Amino acid sequence: MKQKMRGIILIVLLICSQFLMIDAHSGRTDSSGGHRDNKNKSGLGSYHYHCGGYPAHLHTNGCPYKGGGSTKPKPNSSSSSSSKKNQVYATSVTKKDIREKGSKIGYKDGYALKDYNADSYSSTYSVDYKEAYEESFEKGKEKILKEKEEAEEQGYKDGLENNYNNKFSKEILSDAYKESYEDGKEKYIENKKIEYTKLAEEDCIANKTDRSFENVDETFVETYKEAYEQKHKEIQSEEYNNKGYNDGIKNKFDENTEKDYKSSYEEGYNKGKEERENILDIAYGQGYDGKDLEIDDKYNTIKSEIESAYQLGKKDSTKKMVIGTGAIGIVGISGVGIYRKIKSKKAIK
């Protein structure tokens, strides 16, 4: 009887030990070297690996170790360093590892200005991967954009100085430098043309014709020549306009004016002639009203004509007085014409 009871107790103990082993470990490894762990006894999630005989660990794309199952790898007798290396590789993949991976790839993509691609990873700790990726992606993008801005500023500055010095090896930065350099170079050329135009005008006004150019871009030499010629024409045109004005005051038109400046001369002449008529009218009115003759000295070229108009005004004023006393018959038709002339000149004044 005692022997029978001992046998029963032994069987119960064996069954209990099996249950304890099952509870402690959720089963044998599968063909991938891992197995389910629904109660997360290992703390690594619902599935982990034992491949290669290593303790419970995680992998992102299947177990890389040879052997699989729960068989422990044979120690490598070649060297102790090889054994230590295997221990390093056996380290389980942690959340920190995944975040570092996401951070590294995110920064690389952002710095390369690639499209946001955090969803490319969907294995263990994918949420942590995406968070790390996004944060580093923005940092990488911000970094390259700042460097691009600096390259553009340097390019424009060098362009303004006409000094090409592209030291950027990265394509996106090199292209940014080149583009901004061209903008700066364009402004440089514009500024230089303004400089040589001003120089040409100053030389023309001073009648300087011996300006020499050494090591000067032909573009700027041509700018100088064109500006000099243009200023010369402007000066000549102004001189002919003034000559025309003075001739108009004297009522003497010059038929021998150069063809290129004839329009300027005629413009000045018409203006001078109109002013001449106005001055003579004023002188006439002063004489007619019995006032002293007051005319600017700048009209001295026609002083005699002004005095004649003044005397004519005084004379016509006397005739008006004669008409007023009844001597209409003496003046006759010419008197009526003089009266109209007097009214007309008063109106002009």
Side-chain angles (χ1 to χ4, degrees), residues 228-265:
Y228 192 100
E229 181 65 23
Q230 179 63 31
K231 190 63 180 179
H232 177 73
K233 288 182 178 180
E234 289 177 6
I235 293 173
Q236 288 291 94
S237 180
E238 185 176 353
E239 289 178 354
Y240 272 95
N241 187 273
N242 291 334
K243 183 179 184 303
Y245 173 81
N246 292 328
D247 288 353
I249 293 290
K250 294 181 289 186
N251 196 28
K252 293 181 180 180
F253 189 85
D254 186 359
E255 297 290 349
N256 297 320
T257 304
E258 288 188 42
K259 182 179 179 180
D260 291 342
Y261 305 103
K262 190 173 182 179
S263 61
S264 296
Y265 175 84

Side-chain angles (χ1 to χ4, degrees), residues 2 14 67 81 85 92 124 142 145 148 158 195 203 234 249 255 275 313 318 325:
K2 290 181 180 181
L14 288 173
S81 60
K85 183 177 180 180
S92 61
T124 308
E142 182 180 350
L145 290 178
K148 183 181 178 184
D158 289 351
E195 177 185 333
D203 285 353
E234 289 177 6
I249 293 290
E255 297 290 349
E275 191 162 339
T318 302
T325 58

Side-chain angles (χ1 to χ4, degrees), residues 5 17 26 41 65 74 94-95 97 108 146-147 149 154 189 206 208 210 238 246-247 253 259 287 298-299 332 344 349:
M5 286 298 294
S17 65
S26 57
K41 295 290 186 179
Y65 305 121
K74 295 180 181 180
T94 65
K95 183 186 293 187
D97 296 331
K108 182 179 179 181
K146 183 178 180 181
E147 291 180 0
E149 183 179 351
Q154 187 62 49
I189 294 174
K208 181 180 177 64
D210 59 348
E238 185 176 353
N246 292 328
D247 288 353
F253 189 85
K259 182 179 179 180
K298 69 180 181 178
Y299 300 113
S344 176
K349 180 179 177 184

Side-chain angles (χ1 to χ4, degrees), residues 75-234:
N76 190 339
S77 58
S78 60
S79 68
S80 60
S81 60
S82 176
S83 176
K84 291 181 180 180
K85 183 177 180 180
N86 286 337
Q87 292 176 10
V88 173
Y89 281 108
T91 303
S92 61
V93 178
T94 65
K95 183 186 293 187
K96 180 180 178 181
D97 296 331
I98 299 302
R99 290 192 67 88
E100 288 178 353
K101 179 179 180 180
S103 179
K104 182 178 180 180
I105 296 177
Y107 186 88
K108 182 179 179 181
D109 288 354
Y111 188 76
L113 291 180
K114 292 183 178 181
D115 293 335
Y116 183 83
N117 192 25
D119 295 329
S120 61
Y121 179 86
S122 59
S123 188
T124 308
Y125 302 124
S126 60
V127 173
D128 297 279
Y129 175 91
K130 291 177 181 179
E131 287 179 355
Y133 179 99
E134 181 176 359
E135 181 179 348
S136 295
F137 181 88
E138 293 302 323
K139 289 182 179 179
K141 185 177 180 180
E142 182 180 350
K143 174 70 172 176
I144 190 62
L145 290 178
K146 183 178 180 181
E147 291 180 0
K148 183 181 178 184
E149 183 179 351
E150 292 172 351
E152 290 172 344
E153 291 176 354
Q154 187 62 49
Y156 189 79
K157 179 181 177 182
D158 289 351
L160 285 176
E161 299 173 356
N162 193 29
N163 179 34
Y164 188 83
N165 188 24
N166 190 350
K167 297 180 179 180
F168 299 95
S169 58
K170 192 172 183 63
E171 184 177 2
I172 187 174
L173 301 181
S174 179
D175 290 345
Y177 176 94
K178 290 177 183 177
E179 185 175 348
S180 292
Y181 178 86
E182 291 303 320
D183 292 340
K185 179 72 176 293
E186 186 176 337
K187 187 64 177 178
Y188 163 82
I189 294 174
E190 180 184 337
N191 291 339
K192 277 293 181 182
K193 285 185 175 181
I194 292 173
E195 177 185 333
Y196 278 90
T197 296
K198 184 177 179 180
L199 180 63
E201 292 174 348
E202 291 174 350
D203 285 353
C204 186
I205 293 172
N207 198 28
K208 181 180 177 64
T209 58
D210 59 348
R211 173 73 63 184
S212 61
F213 298 96
E214 295 182 4
N215 301 322
V216 177
D217 193 295
E218 188 63 28
T219 300
F220 307 133
V221 176
E222 287 300 316
T223 297
Y224 175 92
K225 292 179 179 179
E226 291 174 3
Y228 192 100
E229 181 65 23
Q230 179 63 31
K231 190 63 180 179
H232 177 73
K233 288 182 178 180
E234 289 177 6

